[in-house]
Amino acid sequence: MLSSLSLNPKLWCTLCALAVAMMVAAPLRAQDENAAEAPAVEAAVEGEMEAEAEVAAEEEEETPPTVESLAVEMAAFKNNVNTLWTCLAAFLVFFMQAGFALVECGFTRAKNACNIIMKNLMDFSIGSLAFWLVGFGLMFGTSAAGGLIGVDGFAYDGGEDQFNWAFLIFQTVFAATAATIVSGAMAERTKFVSYLAYSVLITLIVYPIFGKWAWGILTGDPAAGWLNTFYIGDPSNKIAFYDFAGSTVVHSVGGWAALAGAIVIGPRIGKYTADGKIKPIPGHNIPLAALGVFILWLGWFGFNPGSTTSVNSNFAFICVTTNLSAAAGAIGALITSWIMFKKPDTSFALNGALAGLVGITAGCDTIAPGWAAAVGLIAGIIVVFSCVMIDNLKIDDPVGAVSVHGVCGAWGTLAVGLVGIEKGILLGFGHEQLLAQLLGIAVGFVWAFFTSLIIFLLIKFTIGLRVPAEEEIKGLDITEHGMYAYPPHLVSESLGGTPGGSAAASTATSGAAAQGA
């Protein structure tokens, strides 16, 4: 083989020897390099160990924690937990917007479903911006004019304290709740642009100013909340208006505003005959309304317990009183409608649950469970009679918003002065709290109703409040929004209105439908 390559055999041997020498030298050289680097690596490791030892020594030399330092850490932890709870409660209250939308949609006709969804969507969207920009400052800013309004905190900045931001979002969803109550009472005949205008004004003016009078003190401003500092009787007893979570501040304010709107806009076409008889216009989807009620019931576990803004208070107790009142309200309305209309009416039972929830909101933290059930039961009875009375007055409220929120909100606020723990006159604690509650109810009605009445009249005589008759007959979905919520062939007489024809004429015999509930 060597001869075939025509190379000298000695040369081949020399080349082979060189190759072997290189192969042997390479690992030896690498070993020498590693040996040279070893001292440096060992020195680095030793340095790290020495640094760690120094840190450990410094930590051992540090002063052990004191009671004061532990208190600071616990306060920070508590603030974080309260922030989390307040945010979670706000999320539950936000979910109530879906409940309101479904209740209103189910209790009205199919041809107006898109319009109702749009109004509820815009209530929260516009309300969030308006309340952040102006409403929050009017409600919780530094007091002026004797505690009537706040003058700062506009476009609110919560700073580094995260609880401030949690408080903002919690109050924002409350403001949106007050605004969306109005939608149901004015459903099926209100111009969309006009409703948007009012939605802005209720979150800018109506809700936050009364909220300042009742709740402005929540931020620690001693000059705020004149209803909380206007004492009845001996000032040392601090007996003042009490509304823990908003039976009046949120619900009655929204309900009285809804009453003003329903009066100004007038009844739906076909609701009352020429001789004054009531003509039923039932909703198109009671199961949808029922789903909305269950969502609202769930959301109320954020509405009432969340008003503690703290997990170390009695929020579990409030959950129980809230639930008992809602359950009793449904039963009270069911029995009442059964007696009055000879049938256990579904829509009244659903509104009864909401009436119980609204009724307990003011005193959910101060009314014992047994009395909470009684408050709810009475609210369920009241809501049936109230719906009948309002309908007989020719005030068209398609979903019963005035009765559920306005009337039952007033009842719940009054109940604090009747059966509140260490407050109620029926429990032997004097009449002062009852008088304070009556004062708050009266002030809330006068402010919300007459301010809203002025706003609705201004809208009516400027841009107009009501759609033309032909648009109302066709339905607001197609005339205001250019679409239907359902396929056109399903928007029929059985669902509450034809796409291009006359208004539905229902022959339903339901007692609730006959009363426009």
Side-chain angles (χ1 to χ4, degrees):
M1 180 177 178
L2 291 175
S3 61
S4 64
L5 294 175
S6 301
L7 292 176
N8 191 307
K10 293 183 178 180
L11 180 59
W12 270 110
C13 292
T14 303
L15 292 174
C16 290
L18 289 173
V20 171
M22 292 176 65
M23 293 173 61
V24 173
L28 293 175
R29 187 167 54 251
Q31 184 176 355
D32 293 339
E33 291 176 355
N34 292 337
E37 293 176 357
V41 173
E42 291 177 358
V45 172
E46 291 177 358
E48 292 178 1
M49 294 177 63
E50 291 176 358
E52 292 176 357
E54 292 176 359
V55 170
E58 291 176 358
E59 291 177 351
E60 291 178 357
E61 294 176 359
E62 288 181 356
T63 305
T66 63
V67 174
E68 291 76 13
S69 65
L70 290 175
V72 171
E73 292 179 4
M74 287 300 298
F77 177 75
K78 178 181 176 181
N79 186 67
N80 291 336
V81 172
N82 292 340
T83 299
L84 176 61
W85 165 238
T86 303
C87 285
L88 291 175
F91 304 155
L92 283 172
V93 178
F94 165 74
F95 192 43
M96 291 173 68
Q97 294 295 317
F100 281 118
L102 294 179
V103 168
E104 185 182 345
C105 188
F107 280 165
T108 53
R109 290 170 288 184
K111 62 183 180 180
N112 299 308
C114 284
N115 177 258
I116 286 163
I117 296 300
M118 282 292 289
K119 287 193 300 179
N120 281 269
L121 174 64
M122 289 299 104
D123 273 331
F124 190 80
S125 300
I126 292 175
S128 293
L129 295 172
F131 190 73
W132 169 67
L133 285 170
V134 178
F136 187 87
L138 288 175
M139 189 167 177
F140 294 108
T142 303
S143 297
L148 295 179
I149 59 172
V151 294
D152 57 18
F154 305 116
Y156 181 70
D157 184 350
E160 296 182 359
D161 188 348
Q162 291 300 305
F163 183 79
N164 292 338
W165 297 109
F167 187 73
L168 171 64
I169 191 63
F170 189 73
Q171 293 299 328
T172 298
V173 294
F174 268 49
T177 298
T180 203
I181 290 169
V182 182
S183 174
M186 301 177 66
E188 301 198 290
R189 70 265 203 209
T190 306
K191 290 174 66 175
F192 185 63
V193 65
S194 302
Y195 184 79
L196 295 182
Y198 178 74
S199 185
V200 171
L201 293 174
I202 190 173
T203 49
L204 283 180
I205 300 173
V206 180
Y207 170 75
I209 290 182
F210 184 76
K212 178 69 172 179
W213 302 347
W215 286 349
I217 201 170
L218 293 179
T219 56
D221 183 357
W226 70 266
L227 277 174
N228 285 128
T229 56
F230 186 85
Y231 300 127
I232 302 294
D234 184 1
S236 64
N237 292 332
K238 296 186 180 299
I239 297 176
F241 175 67
Y242 190 84
D243 186 358
F244 181 76
S247 284
T248 287
V249 177
V250 179
H251 294 282
S252 279
V253 164
W256 303 141
L259 176 62
I263 291 173
V264 173
I265 199 170
R268 292 167 291 174
I269 294 173
K271 175 61 181 175
Y272 304 106
T273 62
D275 57 357
K277 292 182 179 179
I278 300 170
K279 184 177 180 180
I281 305 179
H284 81 280
N285 195 327
I286 295 301
L288 199 67
L291 177 60
V293 169
F294 282 117
I295 290 174
L296 287 169
W297 196 327
L298 172 65
W300 237 282
F301 291 122
F303 202 99
N304 286 358
S307 293
T308 62
T309 65
S310 173
V311 297
N312 66 342
S313 54
N314 55 345
F315 74 95
F317 172 85
I318 294 172
C319 289
V320 173
T321 58
T322 298
N323 188 63
L324 289 174
S325 185
I331 294 172
L334 172 70
I335 294 173
T336 305
S337 66
W338 204 337
I339 294 172
M340 292 180 65
F341 309 119
K342 312 306 179 186
K343 296 288 184 180
D345 191 274
T346 306
S347 57
F348 268 134
L350 292 171
N351 264 343
L354 298 181
L357 288 164
V358 171
I360 197 60
T361 297
C364 55
D365 70 322
T366 190
I367 295 179
W371 284 112
V375 168
L377 183 71
I378 295 172
I381 297 170
I382 289 174
V383 76
V384 177
F385 284 101
S386 178
C387 284
V388 173
M389 180 189 70
I390 288 173
D391 218 9
N392 287 331
L393 292 173
K394 304 300 183 291
I395 299 172
D396 185 13
D397 180 2
V399 304
V402 176
S403 299
V404 170
H405 299 278
V407 176
C408 291
W411 155 243
T413 306
L414 188 66
V416 174
L418 293 174
V419 296
I421 298 173
E422 297 184 358
K423 298 178 185 292
I425 188 172
L426 297 182
L427 303 182
F429 291 98
H431 65 280
E432 290 83 3
Q433 187 67 60
L434 185 63
L435 293 177
Q437 298 305 101
L438 287 170
L439 174 65
I441 292 168
V443 171
F445 173 80
V446 171
W447 168 256
F449 178 78
F450 287 103
T451 304
S452 298
L453 187 68
I454 293 170
I455 292 173
F456 282 123
L457 288 172
L458 287 174
I459 294 174
K460 179 179 180 179
F461 293 113
T462 52
I463 62 176
L465 187 60
R466 184 167 184 150
V467 298
E470 59 272 18
E471 293 186 12
E472 182 179 342
I473 292 171
K474 290 180 180 179
L476 303 188
D477 285 2
I478 194 64
T479 58
E480 289 272 7
H481 308 287
M483 64 178 64
Y484 291 113
Y486 306 95
H489 68 279
L490 294 179
V491 185
S492 61
E493 291 287 339
S494 63
L495 286 180
T498 57
S502 62
S506 171
T507 58
T509 58
S510 165
Q515 300 303 331

